[in-house]
Amino acid sequence: PIIKDLFGLTELEIRLARVLRLKKAVVVQGDSDQSDWVKKEMGRAGVRLLKQTARPGQVVAVAGGTTVAAVAEMMKASPALRESIFIPARGGLGEEVELEANYITSLMAQKAGGRYRLMHVPEQLSHEAYDTLIREPHIQEVLELVRSARIVVHGIGDATTMATRRKSSPELLRLLQEKGAVGEAFGYYFNRKGEIVYRGRSLGLSLEDLENVEMTIAVAGGAGKAEAIAAVCPVSGRDTLITDEAAARAILKQH
Ligand code: F6P
């Protein structure tokens, strides 16, 4: 805490939480766009928070992306986490395996010493496939577990970066641009006002389900994500945002 105050980070946390209407903001030093260790620090902060708040028997839903992966990499076992069930927040979103929620969930669960269940569903399903899959008993079971999540750990991405990373069609990229999409989380794309402008067809936690979640932890940093975080957070990250100094300062400059 002394070091934090030295850099004015506590003050940043308070202002950021107020501006983004969050219960709590955690700001780590640096810019994760510039250096990888900053992402690791965000991961460490995520682990600290998870350890502090974990309760035996809880379900933790985990999203994909490199920042949530940093939380998984830094994860350490604790008694309550050992009795937690980790589950991917959503099925595939069309990314590299290492960035998929399934993979990151299993990594986090293993490091935490907890159990996990996976959701083996591909991204961008057709209407028919979606309707069939959603009726599968195995899928139903996992979906129910996801909806019973007490904690959700998720990332936030810049809309164009995410659409490109998922190899979206030129049509979708154009649509997102036309609709002014700036941020992405859980497969939803948001405009500057935090309105949903596009939603892919994939299985898992929906924004409505977040209402029943006790605690959402968003982990996202880097000055390049400032706009995305500011758009998504008031909608999805009602609780806690773990970010870095560069993103925090850029967000506060805009508000
Ligand atoms: O694709 C999963 C996801 O959590 C997205 O919802 C989010 O936009 C993205 O990953 C963040 O990824 P990264 O932390 O690598 O920027």
Side-chain angles (χ1 to χ4, degrees), residues 63-67 93 95 155-157 162 165-166 184-186 225:
T66 57
T67 324
L93 289 167
E95 302 205 49
I156 296 172
M162 287 315 300
R165 195 162 96 184
R166 289 174 182 156
E184 194 279 350
F186 301 108
K225 278 192 190 177

Side-chain angles (χ1 to χ4, degrees), residues 8-185:
L9 295 182
T10 312
E11 162 80 14
L12 270 185
E13 288 173 344
I14 294 167
R15 285 170 57 204
L16 196 61
R18 196 181 312 135
V19 161
L20 297 180
R21 282 173 268 144
L22 298 162
K23 280 202 192 126
K24 187 183 162 89
V26 178
V27 178
V28 308
Q29 213 193 325
D31 183 353
S32 53
D33 283 347
Q34 305 294 329
S35 37
D36 259 359
W37 62 264
V38 179
K39 207 173 262 186
K40 288 204 174 111
E41 280 309 312
M42 286 194 282
R44 212 192 296 273
V47 171
R48 203 174 304 132
L49 192 65
L50 279 166
K51 278 173 120 176
Q52 279 163 4
T53 50
R55 277 204 221 126
Q58 68 178 6
V59 173
V60 182
V62 180
T66 57
T67 324
V68 180
V71 181
E73 275 156 27
M74 302 313 253
M75 185 53 85
K76 297 247 164 55
S78 82
L81 286 173
R82 251 184 232 118
E83 284 179 55
S84 300
I85 303 174
F86 295 81
I87 189 147
R90 299 192 66 90
L93 289 167
E95 302 205 49
E96 308 276 320
V97 166
E98 290 77 14
L99 299 180
E100 288 283 7
N102 265 326
Y103 172 79
I104 294 168
T105 299
S106 68
L107 186 69
M108 196 181 289
Q110 274 161 13
K111 295 219 170 187
R115 286 185 292 148
Y116 66 88
R117 292 286 304 272
L118 298 182
M119 198 172 354
H120 295 292
V121 283
E123 74 282 1
Q124 300 305 337
L125 296 165
S126 69
H127 276 295
E128 297 75 25
Y130 183 92
D131 290 343
T132 311
L133 261 179
I134 207 157
R135 281 197 296 268
E136 283 291 322
H138 160 76
I139 300 284
Q140 289 269 352
E141 210 182 295
V142 182
L143 281 176
E144 259 167 51
L145 209 52
V146 174
R147 296 204 180 106
S148 72
R150 178 176 169 253
I151 298 183
V152 177
V153 187
H154 70 93
I156 296 172
D158 166 75
T160 310
T161 308
M162 287 315 300
T164 313
R165 195 162 96 184
R166 289 174 182 156
K167 300 177 194 70
S168 305
S169 65
E171 291 75 36
L172 179 54
L173 280 164
R174 206 172 313 124
L175 181 86
L176 290 172
Q177 209 152 41
E178 272 168 25
K179 301 228 169 181
V182 294
E184 194 279 350

